[in-house]
Amino acid sequence: MRLISTLLFLPALLLASGNFSSVSSLFDALSADSTLLGREISCTGQMTGDFFRDIYLQDLSAGPGTRGLRVKTGEHLAELGHEVLVYGILKQEKGEVFLKARRLEILAFPEKKLEPVDCRIGELVEDPELLEARLVRTSGLLARLLLSANHDPWLCVLETDGMRIDVELRNGSHPVLSDSLYLEITGIWSRHKDRWRLRPRSGEDFRIPQQVSFCIPAPHMNRTNPGEALLDEICFDPAEAGEAEGAESFAVVNTGEWDLDLSGWSISDHAGSWTFPEGSVLEPQGRYRIARKKERYWFEFGRECDFSFDFNAEGLAGNLVLDNRGDWLELLDKEGRIVDALVYGDAKTRYQPGWRGPSLQAYRFNFYVPIEGAVLLRKRDPATLRRLDSDRREDWISDPNDPDWGRQLNFAGWDREKFFDTARCEEEAELRAYVSPEHSWEGVRDFLRSAKESLEIEIYLITHPGVVEELLAAMDRGVKLTILLEGEVFGARGGTYDTVRGLMRKIIEHESGLGKVYLWRNGDDPRTLGPDTNIPDRYNHVHQKFVIADRKRLLLGSDNFTQSSLPSDDKGDGTSGSRGVFLVTDASCVLERAIEIWEADFDPHRHRDIRPFLSHPDLKESLPRLRSSRAGYPSHHEAPFESRELAAFELLQSPETFLRPDRGYLGLIHRAGKGDRVLVEQQYERPHWGYADQQTPNPRLQACIEAARRGAVVQILLSGNRPTPKSEQTREDIAAIAEEEGLEIEVRLGYLPGGGKRRNPIHNKMLLVDLGEEQWSHVGSANGSETASRYNRELGLSVRSADLFDYLSSVFDADWEQAGR
């Protein structure tokens, strides 16, 4: 009898424990015991949705139609497909049950993917609770975009048979969309206040049905390569929606040393061809760019093409359309022999002369990296600058197996060839260093005050009222001011913060008329309707922070112009703010390259993603107050570094040169060996890059590990004011390697103390390398993510100076000791 009682009581014990092995078992228990709400529980499931601030869990083994659980969480290491265990409090608000997480553990990455349940709009509209929190798929739907107050699409309405559902759009979560487009969409069917909405998880949940079918072409059996002509710069799926887009394009380059007559040569995809007209002579190292439509090519690329199907239609035969999913492309001489070939996407590679091995894919490392607008580009030999040509995907910068020269992005409007190499020189030059929070405010202030003719600023964010007052004073002196800001600040409505709008209004309304402010964006999405439909931003973010004064001096650093980065209080009783560094120089190569980058980035006449700042009545504006007292951190470095000396300089930028293995940041670490010292102070370094199921080593961390294996002492200091799972994972991974291999490499998480219990972040992006006879210091804007290195616009400066190294290493050593307490 006692045994039976125990068995009968066992389910109640399990229920009371609040530990659930699946989402289904949790909801089964909740239906029997509503007191679970408000209690601490744990639940295991497969992560099928990621919305930054919340995720969705569903059962691993259940089939389509399985109910999911929304989990509110902060930063986490989990990726789509991971099996995770979540601890938190079960809550219910406005009819929706969700879990507010306090901890998340990754258990496994399963091979099985949860398939969505197919349904019609009627099923969702008529009985929405039936499919609540489930992964569903619906198709054959006509899309209509709704616009926000500043004319940016914020919601997609799908309609059929008089019924409609709403689809949530987030920045980066969807491909190029337009009105009257038929779609197939997969997403989480979820409650949103008193309404219901479909939530796609990424751009891959949107599918635009293709009308073009594949065919197996008859192979050309002979191949030659006279004149060393090659295909290059292929844009097979431009930003414009659909197939046969106007900016669809490719280039032919002459890699030889003699003129090449292309008259009568043709380019074919087996369904159609285009032939060069008579007199098409290509000079050595020259190129011809060919596009479908001349005007649209200019619209998306910001430059002229040499030929186009609409202006040179006499050479067009058949239906030459580069299929967005995959295709064959061949360059044929006038005898019809294959000179060069490319196979990309899903096209089959069998029996294709001029191409060997797997087809070429555009590189992506996360769902928000688009395929639209990608331009396939050849690698170049770094010594000779010659394009590679082995008839394989290894010739192209999107090669997924090359961590040094592959895994790169390229989009319409980028300037990869112009900025293929870093800018380097050795000369006597001005050299200053300002450390935040100690004296960066004074350094930035004095730099702005030094301008007599012009100030050109490219920066992510300006919220410091003191900086704006200095800019207004500069315009009072007759200084011409141009500012280029990030126009899609994460989490900010209307593209940027209310305080930025309030401060920028003061500049553009200044009575002198000398102030111009632009946003680097094409709307909040960043896609708009109207004449600029589907023209995306060139880069993910303009994240660099630099100012050019009179085109004679450059200031660059790791910090935005905020009060946390540039505290302007009286430092007599200490201060408080984030750790960062600014450098100032007038070195010729640095200044010349910075001006080139500015002119390439800021060119609103050529590039459609540069927009004048305009305030909208429905968007809030506010003016921040200047904080007068920030005591809490005793300054260790009261005086800035100032000198004029013979030094070596190297300016590098993302996405073009930051990951070159032989230059700049990685090049310095790769030189370190026995007896050398490598000091890294970063806001964060991601433990891995790439998709969850295709993770690759972070090359910045990997370079540090290899330096330690060669005998260098490596110290890595990351921000620990609010330790994130990824930073803690980086510390644990490095500690395990150091212990296993006996290496002198360590990661610490640190912060700067503030008033009371306040902890200020390390916002620095600094690398110091002591090579014995040479001491190098690098300061820049790039964080330790793949986005920063491959998809953002970032800027960094490396300087060879023993005195500067000694100064900045003393800053590092103080922060390192603080982290060890």
Side-chain angles (χ1 to χ4, degrees), residues 152-153 487-488 519-529 532-537 608-611:
D152 299 313
E488 197 183 351
L519 298 181
W520 196 335
R521 67 183 188 124
N522 191 357
D524 221 359
D525 180 57
R527 303 172 178 93
T528 68
L529 301 179
D532 290 341
T533 301
N534 305 330
I535 304 294
D537 287 350
R608 313 294 295 188
D609 56 353
I610 302 298
R611 297 292 190 86

Side-chain angles (χ1 to χ4, degrees), residues 64 71 108 206 208 556-557 560 622 702 744-745:
V71 181
F206 291 80
I208 303 172
L556 68 78
N560 296 301
S622 62
Q702 194 63 30
E744 289 192 77
I745 181 171

Side-chain angles (χ1 to χ4, degrees), residues 115-126:
E115 294 298 326
V117 56
D118 291 301
C119 61
R120 299 185 301 275
I121 282 187
E123 296 176 84
L124 298 175
V125 173
E126 294 170 4

Side-chain angles (χ1 to χ4, degrees), residues 60 83 148 182 358 368 716 781 806:
L60 291 167
E83 180 185 359
S148 66
Y182 282 93
Y368 55 79
I716 302 173
S781 62
D806 290 343

